[in-house]
Amino acid sequence: MSDLSTLPPLLLPSPRQLTLTGGTVRSGEPVDIGAQVIALTGDEAYHLAITSDGIRWAWRSAAGRRHAAATLAQLRVQYGDTLPCLVIDDAPVFAKRGVMLDISRDRVPTMAHLYELVDTLASWKMNHLQLYTEHTFAYVGHDDVWRDASPMTADEVRALNVYCRERGIELAANQNCFGHLASWFKHSRYAPLAEIAPTGTWDFNGLVTRTGGFSLCPSDPRSLALVDDLLGQLLPNFSSPLVNIGCDETFDLGQGRSRYEVSRRGRAAVYLEFVAKVCALAKKHGKRPQFWADIALEHPEALSQLPDNLIGLAWGYEADAPFAKWCDQLRTAGREVWVCPGTSCWRSITGRTTERRGNMLAAARDGASNGAAGYLVTAWGDLGHRQQWPITLHALAEGAHRAWSGELPYDPRTSSLHAFADHLLHVGTWLDRIGDLDLNLRKIGGRPDSDNRSQPLRNASALFTDSTKGLGETWLPDLAEWNRAKPTSEAPPTVSSSIITAEFRHLADTVEALWLRGFLRRQKTDQQKKLRLLADMNFKPLLAEYRRLWLARSRPGGLDASCAHYQRLIDELEAV
């Protein structure tokens, strides 16, 4: 075990000002010296001094006291009863420091897991939480939409709301009210409300052709009536004044029923008009709306037409996301803005360490210097929500650091200690390494440019992307490049939590199996026997363990849909 007492304080998030003054002292109960004695900036600021005379602290609010207590608790985790003498003067970079957890892409967490998450976020000084919802709330009268999804109920939301408030976290409502509603439109009673007919095709931002409904048709009055019903049922369960109404990626707008209106008035006018109507509904129900600002930012000349109290959520998930530009555009239009980086864990098994680190730093740097009021870390679950929880948790730890500490250097050992109770300090660096296992492939795995030059793969890892390709499909065919991403023989870490240890093992085994599948499908020689063995020896046991681990943290709804991605691989291998 590492001698943590010989190391400088490993705190998550890092204090803005920390001075070691020399010596140690036996831990005792802190004494409040009063905020009037210390110059504190901001309601969440706190002062903590550990001297030979004992522990002294000060704060201006209940939030400041919680933060001081969280820091002291982390010091005791590292040093036990003998604490280093030091002085900390600390306050957050961002007033709102939040997490948005996707509960609509197959995984709906159990209440126990949600409570555990809230406790963890509170210990990291986060103060805001959203659960991204498309169809996973038990709306009365809409049972056919959520019946098989194991949704959150009104009673559960109210209980979680109380639990959050008691720990200084604001639980805000979240319901996408425009796009991303395919889970509704696959049911015949809702399909007529969609922009696109069930068999209609449309272009998703030049990336892929999709079929069927995705966004509400803004010119259909029944669309707004549905939104009113949903918000009327959802919002009373939250004490927060905020609601995230979504409205992102409505690329199908103008490709279906609203084609004439868009051609006549322009896409921006049609989009913004519907957003304004949804905002009016939120206001009617006593809430201030937020929205994903991507579509509006494509029309900066029209931003001034947004409702006055609408908060713009500027999201981007790569290191080159232009947060500074987005903040400037929204603030010039007189709108409050939050920056929204991502965990880089979705569409992956391993996460994407380099992209996550650059993305979160850019959001903190550019958001703080351009007046962003909040920092919201998004954790999505596209294509089956197949990343194991430690991948997400490790990324959230880094996000918590950036939300509080801004550009201060981040030490992944703090994740080891305060996310995984790993006193050997191995977990954080192991997760960082495995998250860059296929970095060489990600650098060249994107769509070639107009000159056929390789471009980076965005918003996905290479191992994950390769698993979506058929055995005979050509993608990154260079075997030498593939071999550079070969997993090492390093054993995954073992920690006190048996579930987390099992998740690490499953992560490592899945990476090995996906790499081997990719290796065999790039071989020039006949590999039929080895491919069939891969199904029996690797993927079938992985799928069984995947089911077990899923149910340790998540509800059964969505499990079969997520497992279908692995079953497809098994069926394909057995058919060789």
Side-chain angles (χ1 to χ4, degrees):
M1 179 176 291
S2 298
D3 186 358
L4 297 176
S5 66
T6 65
L7 299 175
L10 297 172
L11 297 172
L12 180 64
S14 295
R16 307 275 298 286
Q17 294 183 38
L18 184 155
T19 303
L20 290 168
T21 55
T24 60
V25 66
R26 291 285 293 178
S27 179
E29 290 301 312
V31 175
D32 177 16
I33 60 176
Q36 67 274 11
V37 178
I38 303 294
L40 296 176
T41 302
D43 286 342
E44 294 190 88
Y46 70 93
H47 169 84
L48 177 64
I50 302 176
T51 71
S52 58
D53 296 327
I55 302 172
R56 305 287 186 270
W57 62 8
W59 57 84
R60 291 181 57 182
S61 69
R65 188 189 189 286
R66 282 194 300 270
H67 301 330
T71 296
L72 183 57
Q74 289 190 359
L75 288 169
R76 286 169 171 159
V77 166
Q78 180 175 350
Y79 296 107
D81 291 332
T82 303
L83 302 179
C85 294
L86 52 75
V87 177
I88 293 174
D89 288 291
D90 204 9
V93 170
F94 293 93
K96 293 290 188 180
R97 304 173 303 282
V99 165
M100 188 230 68
L101 183 65
D102 185 354
I103 67 166
S104 291
R105 274 58 176 266
D106 297 328
R107 278 190 191 266
V108 180
T110 64
M111 291 300 290
H113 184 44
L114 287 170
Y115 289 146
E116 179 184 51
L117 171 62
V118 170
D119 287 338
T120 299
L121 295 179
S123 75
W124 297 343
K125 305 182 177 68
M126 300 294 268
N127 62 7
H128 184 92
L129 175 63
Q130 300 181 15
L131 304 178
Y132 173 75
T133 305
E134 294 171 0
H135 66 295
T136 49
F137 179 80
Y139 289 109
V140 176
H142 304 288
D143 311 40
D144 44 344
V145 173
W146 51 258
R147 182 177 295 115
D148 298 324
S150 301
M152 297 287 293
T153 67
D155 286 344
E156 288 175 327
V157 171
R158 286 194 293 270
L160 183 62
N161 182 72
V162 171
Y163 197 87
C164 286
R165 287 186 67 182
E166 292 173 347
R167 288 152 181 80
I169 291 179
E170 171 188 53
L171 180 67
N174 183 310
Q175 170 62 58
N176 211 321
C177 297
F178 201 166
H180 286 279
L181 296 177
S183 294
W184 290 76
F185 301 139
K186 70 180 182 181
H187 300 278
S188 59
R189 63 184 285 214
Y190 302 101
L193 278 63
E195 169 74 11
I196 305 294
T199 59
T201 59
W202 56 282
D203 175 71
F204 189 89
N205 201 33
L207 299 175
V208 65
T209 298
R210 291 188 172 182
T211 301
F214 182 80
S215 299
L216 287 165
C217 176
S219 61
D220 190 328
R222 295 173 298 176
S223 295
L224 206 61
L226 175 63
V227 172
D228 193 16
D229 183 18
L230 302 188
L231 295 182
Q233 294 192 46
L234 180 67
L235 300 187
N237 302 296
F238 297 83
S239 57
S240 166
L242 301 178
V243 55
N244 184 341
I245 61 171
C247 303
D248 57 313
E249 296 186 320
T250 54
F251 299 122
D252 52 337
L253 184 61
Q255 297 187 51
R257 296 170 61 200
S258 67
R259 181 179 289 108
Y260 173 73
E261 279 298 297
V262 168
S263 65
R264 185 175 69 88
R265 300 171 52 205
R267 179 169 174 251
V270 175
Y271 171 83
L272 293 173
E273 180 182 61
F274 190 76
V275 169
K277 290 178 179 178
V278 176
C279 290
L281 292 177
K283 183 178 180 180
K284 183 184 80 169
H285 293 291
K287 302 296 184 182
R288 183 184 181 187
Q290 304 173 315
F291 84 128
W292 303 117
D294 52 304
I295 299 297
L297 285 167
E298 293 180 4
H299 307 278
E301 74 287 349
L303 291 176
S304 60
Q305 300 173 31
L306 292 169
D308 291 340
N309 67 338
L310 180 60
I311 298 172
L313 302 175
W315 62 269
Y317 304 135
E318 305 291 336
D320 60 359
F323 290 111
K325 175 185 174 182
W326 293 335
C327 288
D328 178 67
Q329 289 174 331
L330 286 163
R331 282 176 50 78
T332 298
R335 304 303 182 268
E336 181 178 322
V337 59
W338 294 17
V339 287
C340 305
T343 57
S344 292
C345 59
W346 61 95
R347 298 180 68 194
S348 83
I349 302 299
T350 61
R352 301 182 301 142
T353 301
T354 292
E355 292 88 338
R356 180 191 75 235
R357 191 141 294 156
N359 176 234
M360 289 186 172
L361 176 58
R365 179 192 64 233
D366 296 344
S369 61
N370 288 276
Y375 188 101
L376 183 67
V377 184
T378 61
W380 299 100
D382 301 37
L383 297 180
H385 217 139
R386 281 174 275 169
Q387 65 271 21
Q388 293 293 349
W389 176 246
I391 295 295
T392 301
L393 184 63
H394 180 55
L396 293 180
E398 185 167 355
H401 169 85
R402 291 290 171 218
W404 181 279
S405 309
E407 296 182 66
L408 290 181
Y410 173 68
D411 188 338
R413 294 179 300 174
T414 62
S415 172
S416 297
L417 190 57
H418 302 301
F420 299 100
D422 167 32
H423 288 247
L424 295 175
L425 305 181
H426 289 167
V427 168
T429 51
W430 182 77
L431 287 170
D432 275 356
R433 285 196 301 274
I434 205 167
D436 271 348
L437 182 69
D438 61 358
L439 180 60
N440 65 303
L441 299 171
R442 299 202 302 266
K443 288 180 177 180
I444 60 174
R447 290 188 174 190
D449 64 13
S450 58
D451 294 323
N452 205 35
R453 291 174 298 193
S454 297
Q455 297 297 303
L457 179 64
R458 290 179 173 264
N459 210 29
S461 74
L463 282 176
F464 184 92
T465 300
D466 192 70
S467 75
T468 68
K469 310 294 184 183
L471 287 176
E473 188 174 351
T474 299
W475 184 70
L476 296 181
D478 190 331
L479 185 59
E481 280 292 345
W482 190 259
N483 285 339
R484 287 180 58 197
K486 183 177 181 179
T488 69
S489 58
E490 178 184 10
T494 299
V495 294
S496 58
S497 167
S498 60
I499 290 297
I500 289 178
T501 298
E503 288 167 333
F504 287 156
R505 179 75 263 170
H506 189 272
L507 164 63
D509 289 346
T510 303
V511 167
E512 182 177 1
L514 292 179
W515 181 86
L516 183 56
R517 175 186 179 274
F519 173 79
L520 292 175
R521 81 182 195 87
R522 286 169 174 80
Q523 290 286 292
K524 302 299 183 183
T525 57
D526 183 13
Q527 299 290 337
Q528 288 183 330
K529 183 177 180 180
K530 290 182 179 179
L531 286 167
R532 285 193 293 269
L533 283 173
L534 187 60
D536 290 332
M537 301 298 293
N538 296 79
F539 282 107
K540 286 183 178 179
L542 281 174
L543 180 54
E545 178 68 351
Y546 183 77
R547 285 184 172 275
R548 185 185 76 85
L549 293 175
W550 178 291
L551 294 172
R553 299 187 186 276
S554 306
R555 306 176 194 211
L559 174 56
D560 287 343
S562 183
C563 289
H565 296 279
Y566 287 114
Q567 189 62 52
R568 177 186 58 81
L569 297 179
I570 292 170
D571 293 344
E572 183 183 43
L573 291 168
E574 289 186 329
V576 171

